[in-house]
Amino acid sequence: MKATSFIQECKAELEKVHWPTRQEVVSSTIVVLVTVIIFSIFLSTSDYLFLKLLKWFWSVAA
């Protein structure tokens, strides 16, 4: 009895959900991908520059 009630309540709640359109999903996905690419480039560049700075510092200190 409880399982049937639970499933009916879940179905009723899912009918209330505003599902995004295909265009909204595509737009959001593009925004996420561009953001990930930008942050990846930024972090890679920062890491590279920090490594170069650290190697230079080690060569000066040695």
Side-chain angles (χ1 to χ4, degrees), residues 34-48:
V34 168
T35 304
V36 166
I37 290 170
I38 289 171
F39 274 103
S40 296
I41 292 170
F42 171 74
L43 289 174
S44 297
T45 304
S46 298
D47 183 52
Y48 176 77

Side-chain angles (χ1 to χ4, degrees), residues 24-60:
E24 290 173 333
V25 171
V26 169
S27 297
S28 297
T29 302
I30 290 172
V31 168
V32 168
L33 289 175
V34 168
T35 304
V36 166
I37 290 170
I38 289 171
F39 274 103
S40 296
I41 292 170
F42 171 74
L43 289 174
S44 297
T45 304
S46 298
D47 183 52
Y48 176 77
L49 292 175
F50 182 72
L51 183 63
K52 285 289 193 184
L53 179 66
L54 200 56
K55 283 184 178 181
W56 174 78
F57 181 72
W58 284 338
S59 69
V60 169

Side-chain angles (χ1 to χ4, degrees), residues 9-21 24-25:
E9 290 175 13
C10 285
K11 184 179 177 188
E13 288 298 319
L14 284 174
E15 289 173 355
K16 296 178 187 177
V17 173
H18 169 72
W19 297 101
T21 64
E24 290 173 333
V25 171

